[in-house]
Amino acid sequence: MDYRLSQIKQLEAEAIFIIRETAAQFERPVLLFSGGKDSITLAWLAKKAFWPGKIPFPLMHVDTGHNFQETLDYRDQFVADLGARLIVASVQESIDQGRAVEERGPNPSRNALQSITLLDAIESHKFDAALGGARRDEEKARAKERFFSHRDEFGQWEPKNQRPELWDLFNGYKHPGEHFRVFPLSNWTELDVWMYLQAEQVPMPSLYFAHKRRVVERDGVLLAESPFINLLEGEKYEEKMVRFRTIGDATCTGAVISTADNLGDIIDEIAASRTTERGGRADDKRSDSAMEDRKKQGYF
């Protein structure tokens, strides 16, 4: 077996072990599903973890209302093929109920508002663990997470108060009202994810593959044309051959110039890249600690 594929098999075994530990230690877990490659990988691993039974917990999508339509179409088909139950938590409903306030300004985003919707959904459904597809190589704040990441009764994260995880022993003890975020893909890299998806022949959203799309460059980020983006003075859309390395809110998810239209080309492109996948996320550019600030408030 190729060394890289052997390593991926080890990562798969580790992730499946953590998913099963989550199901064993918690009464009401949920898998956070965005329709992006990491949550797709996580859901696929959950399917394998409990095969031939069904995934014993629901999947939940925190819908900003500003998603790419391709993402929503893929989400519904993928979840149906898994035979899983999907819960949709709506940011728009949070705004309508006065729980969240729409951003103003030239480049408003609903990405940060997901924290409020997520925490409300966790409380409403009484979830005590939320599995997420975050990886430590994504961003410096992600690198501070343990596999089992404790959240207090307000859903907040304290990076200086992480529990030790020696000998693969995970401490899921919590007080009433608290919950955990669980990250089975912590040790994976972006390249590992794509190689795994290729090996498993998992169908992927079309947004990940190179295609022609009208985009506008703003602060070094290529934003795709959508009804949620207002052009600023002097800006105009131009058609380019692009793909997306991450999939999220259309107002802050940047495209990259690319001709990679299959998984093999994507793997080659990433192996040669010197830019992180979140380098095209406009919301991460707002401050040096943007991600960590959002995570402390309950973000994924």
Side-chain angles (χ1 to χ4, degrees):
M1 179 182 289
D2 178 85
Y3 167 75
R4 190 75 186 184
L5 290 177
S6 175
Q7 177 184 335
I8 289 172
K9 282 296 181 183
Q10 293 179 28
L11 291 170
E12 178 191 60
E14 176 185 66
I16 286 176
F17 171 71
I18 294 167
I19 291 169
R20 288 173 175 165
E21 274 291 298
T22 304
Q25 289 200 38
F26 299 97
E27 295 182 4
R28 296 180 64 85
V30 65
L31 190 153
L32 302 179
F33 187 80
S34 67
K37 66 184 183 307
D38 299 314
S39 64
I40 292 168
T41 300
L42 188 58
W44 191 265
L45 288 163
K47 181 185 79 168
K48 296 186 76 170
F50 302 106
W51 183 265
K54 291 189 175 182
I55 299 174
F57 40 74
L59 278 59
M60 183 166 71
H61 180 210
V62 180
D63 183 359
T64 65
H66 288 173
N67 292 288
F68 294 99
Q69 187 58 46
E70 295 97 323
T71 303
L72 300 179
D73 293 341
Y74 176 90
R75 176 200 70 186
D76 294 341
Q77 185 62 55
F78 183 77
V79 173
D81 291 343
L82 281 182
R85 181 165 69 96
L86 177 68
I87 297 171
V88 177
S90 169
V91 171
Q92 184 61 57
E93 288 185 8
S94 297
I95 294 171
D96 294 342
Q97 295 167 4
R99 294 283 297 152
V101 179
E102 192 90 69
E103 282 190 359
R104 299 183 182 276
N107 195 30
S109 171
R110 289 185 173 183
N111 210 38
L113 304 186
Q114 293 178 89
S115 301
I116 297 169
T117 305
L118 173 62
L119 292 175
D120 284 350
I122 287 174
E123 182 178 3
S124 173
H125 293 279
K126 295 181 171 56
F127 293 130
D128 54 1
L131 291 140
R135 310 184 323 269
R136 292 185 181 127
D137 76 319
E138 284 184 86
E139 204 271 346
K140 56 183 179 294
R142 302 268 200 220
K144 297 180 181 180
E145 292 277 19
R146 297 284 198 264
F147 284 111
F148 275 32
S149 185
H150 176 263
R151 296 299 194 271
D152 65 20
E153 65 271 26
F154 301 107
Q156 296 180 328
W157 172 63
E158 176 47 67
K160 296 180 180 179
N161 190 27
Q162 297 283 295
R163 297 176 180 179
E165 294 179 337
L166 306 176
W167 306 292
D168 291 334
L169 296 175
F170 304 112
N171 182 357
Y173 177 78
K174 59 180 178 55
H175 295 288
E178 299 175 345
H179 73 277
F180 275 78
R181 307 288 170 85
V182 181
F183 303 109
L185 305 185
S186 289
N187 287 337
W188 296 51
T189 66
E190 183 186 11
L191 191 59
D192 292 330
V193 169
W194 281 115
M195 292 189 69
Y196 182 74
L197 292 168
Q198 182 187 50
E200 294 288 308
Q201 298 184 344
V202 181
M204 297 300 293
S206 60
L207 288 172
Y208 280 120
F209 303 104
H211 58 285
K212 289 183 178 179
R213 186 176 288 260
R214 281 162 54 83
V215 297
V216 61
E217 182 171 351
R218 181 176 296 171
D219 296 328
V221 177
L222 294 178
L223 297 175
E225 182 178 20
S226 82
F228 316 119
I229 294 177
N230 299 315
L231 289 180
L232 305 180
E233 185 177 353
E235 290 183 336
K236 65 177 181 178
Y237 288 112
E238 296 181 6
E239 187 173 82
K240 296 181 182 293
M241 184 68 75
V242 300
R243 72 177 194 86
F244 293 86
R245 287 178 69 180
T246 65
I247 293 179
D249 193 313
T251 62
C252 62
T253 303
V256 295
I257 302 295
S258 175
T259 58
D261 59 3
N262 60 73
L263 291 179
D265 286 350
I266 288 174
I267 289 170
D268 290 341
E269 183 180 274
I270 292 169
S273 176
R274 294 297 176 265
T275 304
T276 66
E277 64 194 288
R278 293 193 70 92
R281 292 294 293 265
D283 53 329
D284 287 354
K285 297 178 182 292
R286 295 187 173 189
S287 74
D288 289 339
S289 61
M291 171 64 80
E292 183 161 330
D293 292 341
R294 293 200 303 274
K295 286 176 68 64
K296 287 181 179 179
Q297 296 168 3
Y299 192 69
F300 306 139

